[in-house]
Amino acid sequence: MAIEITEVQSRVVATDRPAGSRRAEIGMPIALIGLFVALLPPVIVSLALKVNEVAPDDTAAVLSLALGLGALMALLMNPLAGRLSDRTRGRFGMRRPWIIGGIVAGYLSLILLTQATDVFSLVVAWMLVQASFNAAIAALLAVMADSVRPKNRGRVAAAVGVAQNGSLVIGVFIVQLFTATTPQVLVPGAIGCTVVIVFALVFKDRVLVEKPSTAFGVKEFFGSFVFNPRKNPDFGWAWLMRFLLTAAAVTATNYLALFLIDNLGVSEADAANAVFYATLFNVLGVVSTTFVAGWLSDRFGRRKIFVFAAALVAVVGLIVLAIAPALPVVYAAQFIIGAGIGSFYAVDLALITDVLPSSEDSGKDLGVVNIAQALPQSLVPAAAGGVVAAVGYPGLFLTGAVLGVLGAIAAFRVKGVR
């Protein structure tokens, strides 16, 4: 499909903002659904099965190695690809080459993953998968700052939140249609990647004509992963807010199976089914509130009060989970947590987009924001063992609740938005 760049577009420079593209506002969340349908099934199901094929005697250790190094690649590639997309010149736009390039490289890496026959090739393939897809994620999220009108950012951010959670259900549904690992990986990958590429070909991308004022050297490379919170305090508080709420959410999901087994007496054979239903209730909670929170935030032109309220709802869910005496209460707690976290992410992304430090580095800055979401997924597991040993799994959930309260407080430290 030919991509037509008009003469008016060709004169757009990095600091310009389009009046708003409805195609981008509708298409970007759909593209994210496609991307996560391609990426999440291997994370949740297929990678563990592939590891069991390659290293049946050391499955847990190899899976931890692959997930850890993959998370590191995601952590590094998000801000780096975002910054490079901010500096990309050419008639095809700033974000489009990174979206298509990341998606194509990601699918090729999925093929390598299915063909892995030893631990080394499997781990390297998964690192490439994470690096490639996260490059595309960085460019896709930058479309939020580029093309989404400020008055609609709450609704679009809500759709992004639903995309992240809804794609989990879609991806796992496709996976369970197959019994072999290769189609479990490649079929949802092909469907998801096709959706992303269609969006990348039809949306109106920004075109950078003027050459960036500085060269991309060592300083710029390392600067891709940091920001100055003293110079940009609103962005700093918003980053901390997302970090704390993500850490709170991680405590409620990563250790749920062990909590059910150790504290509620659920058998190991039934734990997977119980976790599935808990996850389903969590997603239902997300869907029930996310669009409403995003719409209300746009309607009233306010962000902080909705972020604060959403964080407190998640805190209530964590407290209920900590004291849950039986599975029905666990399911109710997961619904409450989903309702809070879902509506938090809906308005949080809109708030962050409103306080980005620089219009010229929006891709890089949103990549740095993604560090706030990825880093707790590494730090919480590192600290959780000591917390559980000291106060048990209920204590871990209550610790998550404390982090959620601190995140809610951080929202009111942001001064640049209402």
Side-chain angles (χ1 to χ4, degrees), residues 46-47 61 70 78 84 93 107 110 112 126 130 147 153 177 196 205 237 240 263 287 291 298 309 360 368 413:
S46 311
L47 183 62
N78 246 297
L84 291 173
Y107 192 73
L110 286 176
L112 289 177
W126 183 244
Q130 285 281 31
S147 302
R153 283 177 179 167
L177 297 176
V196 179
D205 198 2
W237 284 112
L240 181 62
N263 288 66
V287 174
F291 283 113
D298 287 339
E360 294 184 1
V368 170
R413 300 291 296 176

Side-chain angles (χ1 to χ4, degrees), residues 79-380:
L80 180 60
R83 181 152 209 176
L84 291 173
S85 75
D86 289 333
R87 305 169 63 88
T88 298
R89 300 172 66 195
R91 65 185 298 270
F92 295 110
M94 299 168 64
R95 316 301 181 190
R96 185 177 290 114
W98 289 91
I99 296 172
I100 295 178
I103 285 298
V104 172
Y107 192 73
L108 293 175
S109 300
L110 286 176
I111 295 175
L112 289 177
L113 180 68
T114 62
Q115 302 304 308
T117 57
D118 56 78
V119 171
F120 178 79
S121 59
L122 182 145
V123 171
V124 169
W126 183 244
M127 292 172 69
L128 292 173
V129 169
Q130 285 281 31
S132 302
F133 280 138
N134 275 277
I137 289 173
L140 269 173
L141 288 179
V143 174
M144 179 84 171
D146 292 346
S147 302
V148 176
R149 291 165 285 193
K151 68 176 183 178
N152 290 338
R153 283 177 179 167
R155 276 166 279 196
V156 175
V160 169
V162 171
Q164 291 176 312
N165 291 276
S167 59
L168 175 64
V169 177
I170 296 171
V172 173
F173 173 79
I174 297 172
V175 166
Q176 59 88 35
L177 297 176
F178 304 94
T179 55
T181 305
T182 296
Q184 286 178 338
V185 173
L186 297 186
V187 173
I191 295 171
C193 290
T194 300
V195 171
V196 179
I197 289 174
V198 169
F199 167 75
L201 292 175
V202 302
F203 91 106
K204 182 181 177 182
D205 198 2
R206 290 172 65 198
V207 177
L208 178 62
V209 175
E210 295 182 354
K211 185 177 180 180
S213 57
T214 58
F216 190 80
V218 175
K219 179 180 178 182
E220 286 71 25
F221 173 81
F222 286 105
S224 300
F225 309 103
V226 297
F227 65 95
N228 187 340
R230 295 180 61 119
K231 186 178 180 181
N232 303 289
D234 280 352
F235 188 67
W237 284 112
W239 190 97
L240 181 62
M241 174 184 67
R242 172 167 282 214
F243 175 88
L244 291 169
L245 261 296
T246 300
V250 169
T251 65
T253 55
N254 286 21
Y255 298 90
L256 183 60
L258 296 177
F259 167 70
L260 296 178
I261 294 170
D262 292 351
N263 288 66
L264 298 188
V266 176
S267 68
E268 291 188 19
D270 294 332
N273 182 258
V275 170
F276 168 76
Y277 279 107
T279 303
L280 183 61
F281 275 97
N282 188 285
V283 172
L284 289 174
V286 170
V287 174
S288 70
T289 62
T290 300
F291 283 113
V292 175
W295 180 82
L296 289 174
S297 174
D298 287 339
R299 175 68 178 80
F300 293 104
R302 294 181 178 274
R303 309 292 189 204
K304 291 190 291 188
I305 186 62
F306 289 99
V307 169
F308 180 81
L312 291 187
V313 170
V315 166
V316 170
L318 283 162
I319 294 173
V320 173
L321 182 62
I323 62 175
L327 276 177
V329 181
V330 170
Y331 297 152
Q334 285 293 328
F335 181 88
I336 297 169
I337 293 168
I341 293 297
S343 51
F344 167 79
Y345 281 133
V347 186
D348 161 70
L349 182 58
L351 183 151
I352 288 172
T353 306
D354 290 342
V355 298
L356 291 178
S358 169
S359 60
E360 294 184 1
D361 291 326
S362 57
K364 171 259 186 182
D365 292 331
L366 285 168
V368 170
V369 168
N370 285 333
I371 293 178
Q373 193 162 345
L375 194 57
Q377 298 179 50
S378 298
L379 295 181
V380 169

